Amino acid sequence: MLDIARIKAISLDLDDTLWPIWPTIHRAEEALLAWLTERAPAAAALCADPAARLALRDHVVQTRPDIGHDLSALRRESIRTALQRAQEDTRLAEPAFEVFFAERMRVELFDDVLPALTVLAARFPIVAVSNGNAHVGRVGLGSFFVDSLSASQFGVAKPDARIFHAAADKAGVASEQVLHVGDDAALDVLGALGAGMQTVWVNREQHVWRHAEQPHHTVENLTALAALLA
């Protein structure tokens, strides 16, 4: 059961908690493909095939374990590898990534997000904690957050307890005073529980909980979270 009186700050996941991620990624990949088609058509052909694109990414993950936590670095290296295999200019990798990244920042928020963040940010310091590479300022939500942590910047990803503890430090409170909110059962809920935090599972799709450890509370959207903490 949630101990609301103990909550002094919130750490908040981004992808699939505040917006649906896969439509965003699909649009970004389409923009990248269109850009490459004009400048590096052979690499574009490699990236156009979903199986080939996945194989490129898997190759990078296997050969560059040092960047496995960094989705931006993985994407850059996948583009560079495609250009290299196509015998096209690998210097295009960085501008190509910027095309992808600009579109990746164009998220479509769930309808409940802005009203709920307005309520929550007025009461608690909120720190973004994400394994993705979204930037709260660039997506237009910076005013609601006191800070943000991404696996790309921090060097480790959820469910590693260190990123949760760092979020508590950013908020200026102890880990046990943080409520972590996110959609991923393993990365968000189990990760935050392992870091000594209270947890709320955002279960928008009515998934079945399949783990022995339980979240402190489950909500179907952020409207319900804001009402719970009001």
Side-chain angles (χ1 to χ4, degrees), residues 18-87:
L18 303 188
W19 54 75
I21 185 55
W22 290 113
T24 305
I25 296 299
H26 178 72
R27 287 196 312 271
E29 288 182 337
E30 289 296 309
L32 170 63
L33 186 61
W35 191 91
L36 283 174
T37 297
E38 293 184 1
R39 297 161 180 83
L46 280 175
C47 294
D49 178 65
R53 188 166 62 240
L54 181 60
L56 277 170
R57 189 183 189 280
D58 287 345
H59 170 77
V60 173
V61 169
Q62 292 169 10
T63 58
R64 292 292 309 276
D66 56 307
I67 60 171
H69 62 280
D70 187 338
L71 295 187
S72 291
L74 286 174
R75 179 70 63 168
R76 282 190 186 91
E77 188 63 15
S78 295
I79 297 169
R80 191 196 66 78
T81 301
L83 289 163
Q84 185 179 55
R85 289 183 177 181
Q87 297 184 325

Side-chain angles (χ1 to χ4, degrees), residues 28-216:
E29 288 182 337
E30 289 296 309
L32 170 63
L33 186 61
W35 191 91
L36 283 174
T37 297
E38 293 184 1
R39 297 161 180 83
L46 280 175
C47 294
D49 178 65
R53 188 166 62 240
L54 181 60
L56 277 170
R57 189 183 189 280
D58 287 345
H59 170 77
V60 173
V61 169
Q62 292 169 10
T63 58
R64 292 292 309 276
D66 56 307
I67 60 171
H69 62 280
D70 187 338
L71 295 187
S72 291
L74 286 174
R75 179 70 63 168
R76 282 190 186 91
E77 188 63 15
S78 295
I79 297 169
R80 191 196 66 78
T81 301
L83 289 163
Q84 185 179 55
R85 289 183 177 181
Q87 297 184 325
E88 291 173 321
D89 188 356
T90 56
R91 292 175 297 179
L92 293 173
E94 186 61 33
F97 171 78
E98 290 303 325
V99 169
F100 172 89
F101 195 62
E103 194 65 24
R104 193 261 187 269
M105 293 300 105
R106 258 191 356 105
V107 300
E108 296 182 6
L109 302 174
F110 292 117
D111 291 342
D112 53 280
V113 168
L114 285 177
L117 284 180
T118 300
V119 171
L120 295 170
R123 185 170 180 192
F124 303 100
I126 306 177
V127 178
V129 182
S130 178
N131 283 4
N133 53 2
H135 188 287
V136 292
R138 287 187 64 170
V139 303
L141 298 177
S143 62
F144 296 109
F145 293 86
V146 298
D147 216 321
S148 64
L149 283 167
S150 70
S152 299
Q153 297 168 324
F154 187 66
V156 298
K158 297 179 294 185
D160 193 300
R162 288 173 290 176
I163 196 168
F164 293 102
H165 292 158
D169 290 341
K170 296 283 189 184
V173 300
S175 295
E176 58 267 25
Q177 296 175 307
V178 176
L179 173 67
H180 182 72
V181 178
D183 73 289
D184 192 288
L187 301 181
D188 288 305
V189 177
L190 299 185
L193 287 172
M197 295 178 171
Q198 295 192 82
T199 61
V200 166
W201 184 34
V202 181
N203 185 16
R204 294 182 181 274
E205 303 297 328
Q206 301 302 302
H207 295 300
V208 175
W209 184 262
R210 301 188 182 279
H211 303 276
E213 289 185 277
Q214 298 288 321
H216 290 84

Side-chain angles (χ1 to χ4, degrees), residues 211-226:
H211 303 276
E213 289 185 277
Q214 298 288 321
H216 290 84
H217 198 83
T218 299
V219 296
E220 64 181 14
N221 54 45
L222 296 194
T223 301
L225 176 68

